[in-house]
Amino acid sequence: MESSYVGFETLAVRVAVPHVLHVELNRPNRANAMNAQYWHEMRRLFAAIAVDPEVRAVVISGAGKHFSAGIDMQPGQQPTGNLLSGPGKNSDVARHALKLQQLVLSMQESFTCITRCPQPVIAAIHGACMGGAVDLITACDMRFCSDCALFSVKEVAVGLCADVGTLQRLPRVVGNQSWVRDICYSARTFGAAEAKEFGLVSKVCSGGREGILAAAMEAAAVIAAHSPLAVTGTKRSLEWSQDHSVADGLAHVALWNSAALMTKDLMIGARPPDRRKGGAAAEGTTKPKRKLYSNL
Ligand SMILES: CC/C=C\C=C\CC(=O)SCCNC(=O)CCNC(=O)[C@H](O)C(C)(C)COP(=O)(O)OP(=O)(O)OC[C@H]1O[C@@H](n2cnc3c(N)ncnc32)[C@H](O)[C@@H]1OP(=O)(O)O
């Protein structure tokens, strides 16, 4: 295990199956609410993941009863400090607003680092997933939830306009402005069935926390068995194409593949497993060995 993955207080990080990193939101006594330390640790963790060639997929889940209750609402738990009380006598509105803007931008980065990291990230959601937790999952590549999951874009109910990703990413994820506006303006709580119906999650599983984690790990292991170069190229192309025209997206992927088509990953991918050197099924078994791609 990389030394970059130790020393976190709000996150537990472990290698779950080969090449799959399990990131657990780890404040179960506070329903995994996001405190000042959390925002900082997410950025630090994903900076390390982004440059770790061993990691090919990431699963994010919550310890304990809930995925996450969103922002920590207890006094003194946010990086805002006393900024919310406005400029004191030694500052002015513009300078003070600039500090707050910089702070919000840095908190946004704590989720944008997920969309930017080269490896796919799967959210495995059980129990409550509220406010900031919805910002988090909409930054992930895939979302699976347990049939006991409860969601709420809760910000307006606590006097806030959501500002760390939900309003920008959720409409793209689900492609239904009417439903997005319904859940964002009302802040109502909805369950797994509705989340699946509108495309917020792509899979609903029984079995609570363990059930959803197993499903996410299985999906992550499938991803990790593929060429990491092909997978990261696919993520890049999907991300780029979201913000650009079809023509720009096609030009972008043509440029990517002008290099990527020359890798030996294509040869490995095209060969049936049992005809590859070292790829035959072990004696007495029928299961072929995994195709062995180099790390990034
Ligand atoms: C720049 C701004 C960036 C981001 C902004 C994001 C905005 C938001 O995130 S808005 C959403 C805020 N969250 C909430 O309103 C959720 C509040 N919590 C609940 O509704 C419930 O606690 C629950 C999540 C549904 C769980 O209910 P239950 O299973 O009954 O457990 P509890 O006993 O209520 O909670 C256990 C324990 O956790 C504490 N806790 C829960 N949520 C938070 C929270 N958001 N912040 C801090 N602490 C929280 C709760 O107080 C309990 O603690 P005890 O010490 O055991 O009382």
Side-chain angles (χ1 to χ4, degrees):
M1 175 94 155
E2 276 276 325
S3 58
S4 336
Y5 301 131
V6 294
F8 293 97
E9 278 178 27
T10 68
L11 306 168
V13 189
R14 59 184 80 91
V15 178
V17 293
H19 301 298
V20 176
L21 205 65
H22 179 197
V23 176
E24 195 174 45
L25 309 177
N26 194 30
R27 299 183 72 219
N29 295 339
R30 301 240 69 84
N32 299 320
M34 299 159 172
N35 62 1
Q37 183 82 355
Y38 164 86
W39 300 103
H40 173 69
E41 290 189 353
M42 279 293 280
R43 295 194 292 272
R44 177 155 82 84
L45 174 61
F46 275 88
I49 293 174
V51 295
D52 187 343
E54 285 288 329
V55 177
R56 299 185 183 184
V58 179
V59 172
I60 302 185
S61 70
K65 197 174 151 195
H66 301 288
F67 179 75
S68 169
I71 201 164
D72 193 319
M73 311 252 279
Q74 289 189 306
Q77 289 297 321
Q78 288 310 311
T80 40
N82 58 5
L83 282 175
L84 301 187
S85 52
K89 59 179 181 340
N90 294 327
S91 187
D92 58 60
V93 169
R95 285 179 174 75
H96 197 78
L98 193 60
K99 285 201 180 72
L100 264 173
Q101 185 198 34
Q102 285 163 345
L103 188 69
V104 175
L105 288 170
S106 76
M107 292 167 86
Q108 291 174 351
E109 183 56 28
S110 302
F111 297 143
T112 299
C113 61
I114 296 173
T115 68
R116 208 184 308 114
C117 101
Q119 305 92 335
V121 180
I122 304 174
I125 305 143
H126 75 288
C129 176
M130 298 185 162
V134 179
D135 296 277
L136 163 59
I137 65 165
T138 55
C140 294
D141 292 81
M142 291 146 72
R143 288 153 293 279
F144 296 171
C145 79
S146 76
D147 52 11
C148 66
L150 289 172
F151 300 84
S152 170
V153 180
K154 188 124 188 218
E155 277 83 348
V156 296
V158 298
L160 263 178
C161 165
D163 58 1
V164 286
T166 291
L167 303 185
Q168 292 66 41
R169 296 190 175 106
L170 183 62
R172 288 170 183 229
V173 167
V174 304
N176 183 330
Q177 279 279 349
S178 177
W179 185 71
V180 167
R181 288 168 193 237
D182 166 6
I183 61 169
C184 291
Y185 296 153
S186 68
R188 68 183 171 82
T189 299
F190 57 94
E194 187 172 344
K196 176 78 163 51
E197 182 188 349
F198 287 95
L200 174 56
V201 300
S202 55
K203 186 176 278 191
V204 178
C205 294
S206 58
R209 181 182 163 281
E210 280 74 28
I212 198 59
L213 196 51
M217 286 298 167
E218 198 179 312
V222 170
I223 294 168
H226 292 311
S227 155
L229 193 67
V231 170
T232 201
T234 301
K235 177 165 178 172
R236 264 199 201 197
S237 185
L238 287 167
E239 289 291 330
W240 175 273
S241 299
Q242 282 201 138
D243 292 329
H244 295 83
S245 68
V246 171
D248 285 351
L250 288 169
H252 182 266
V253 76
L255 190 60
W256 174 272
N257 266 358
S258 66
L261 287 173
M262 291 185 285
T263 66
K264 64 179 180 191
D265 293 34
L266 269 84
M267 308 294 284
I268 298 171
R271 275 190 299 223
D274 60 349
R275 275 207 268 129
R276 240 172 349 98
K277 190 180 167 202
E283 211 172 308
T285 71
T286 51
K287 200 175 168 197
K289 280 188 182 168
R290 286 188 307 127
K291 296 181 179 184
L292 297 175
Y293 296 101
S294 299
N295 290 335
L296 284 181

